[in-house]
Amino acid sequence: MVAAAIPQFRPGGQPAHHLSEELLLAYATGGLSEAVALVAAAHLTLCPSCRAELARAQAIGGALVEATPPVAMQAGALDRLLARLDQPAPPAEERLTAGSRDRDIPGPLRAYLPADAENLPWRKVIAGLYEYKLDLPGHQGMASLLRIIPGKAMPQHTHRGHEMTLVLRGDFDDKTGHYGAGDLALTDDTVDHQPVAGAHADCIALAVTDAPLKLTGTFGRLLNPFIRF
Ligand SMILES: [Zn+2]
């Protein structure tokens, strides 16, 4: 049947899997690590409904700040802040040419990439799975772009912490659902899953964990001591 060969797009082309309320609130109040904030910011550029939720969370955060009694500032804090505001930001054009110009790579992520997806120095993890590690000094878990060839299954795994996977290109399925471009998969240590890339195109996703993955399948158990991704 011809129709089965056509990739499925959701109505309106908007993401179906979103940031949780907790993540939105933490993002609004600046409480996320750089890696997690990057995933949140990248999803927000692709998702009108989470942007609307963020505006609501920011209003709540603002009300909370107003209700909090003022605290005396440290000596010189205002001067330091003003000095920082005086420093010129690099021109936007310079930042753009240094990073990716892919249209499907969200703006917040582009600055972390030295090149377009096609020209990144991908590292082969296993056959059909490639990784580009983002430069995020001090981040404990994985913060990578993953590239999975069509139809390829990832090693089965659980997590010691949380995993956030934002699909940028292509799609994947696991037992929790179908994830297309813009969708954010949130999993924790209760989920043992094996994402499988869609059959039509490479799946490129931004994946961040706050602790190393723990591989559980037979193959995964063999790999576990050797890779930390
Ligand atoms: Zn969303």
Side-chain angles (χ1 to χ4, degrees):
M1 203 168 80
V2 176
I6 299 170
Q8 290 180 350
F9 294 101
R10 59 186 63 83
Q14 293 192 9
H17 301 276
H18 301 281
L19 287 160
S20 65
E21 212 166 299
E22 291 84 357
L23 280 168
L24 269 170
L25 261 177
Y27 182 82
T29 53
L32 295 175
S33 69
E34 182 179 0
V36 177
L38 173 62
V39 181
H43 176 77
L44 282 161
T45 65
L46 303 169
C47 184
S49 96
C50 281
R51 285 202 298 275
E53 283 299 307
L54 177 66
R56 229 169 48 91
Q58 281 168 333
I60 295 170
L64 284 175
V65 168
E66 272 169 34
T68 310
V71 179
M73 283 174 96
Q74 276 184 325
L78 186 60
D79 288 342
R80 285 196 295 277
L81 177 66
L82 291 175
R84 214 181 301 165
L85 290 177
D86 285 341
Q87 286 167 8
E93 248 172 63
E94 213 172 278
R95 272 179 279 145
L96 260 187
T97 45
S100 165
R101 302 179 105 176
D102 286 337
R103 271 186 303 164
D104 48 2
I105 302 292
L109 177 58
R110 284 184 197 163
Y112 288 84
L113 305 178
D116 288 351
E118 291 311 316
N119 298 308
L120 285 177
W122 294 99
R123 181 185 73 96
K124 183 174 165 184
V125 179
I126 53 173
L129 169 63
Y130 302 84
E131 178 189 35
Y132 173 76
K133 280 192 178 150
L134 300 185
D135 186 18
L136 284 165
H139 180 63
Q140 291 296 307
M142 168 176 71
S144 297
L145 276 197
L146 298 180
R147 181 174 193 158
I148 314 162
I149 64 166
K152 172 75 183 174
M154 291 270 291
Q156 192 173 351
H157 61 274
T158 57
H159 318 88
R160 293 193 190 102
H162 292 81
E163 180 188 56
M164 306 171 78
T165 307
L166 175 66
V167 179
L168 303 171
R169 198 181 286 180
D171 59 324
F172 77 82
D173 286 272
D174 69 9
K175 65 181 180 184
T176 68
H178 175 80
Y179 298 86
D183 279 336
L184 182 62
L186 299 170
T187 45
D188 61 21
D189 54 8
T190 63
V191 180
D192 186 337
H193 69 155
Q194 183 172 36
V196 180
H200 305 285
D202 282 6
C203 178
I204 296 182
L206 171 62
V208 164
T209 64
D210 56 12
L213 300 194
K214 191 174 158 195
L215 304 176
T216 53
T218 316
F219 188 47
R221 271 193 291 273
L222 289 171
L223 275 171
N224 229 351
F226 304 107
I227 57 167
R228 287 163 64 89
F229 72 101

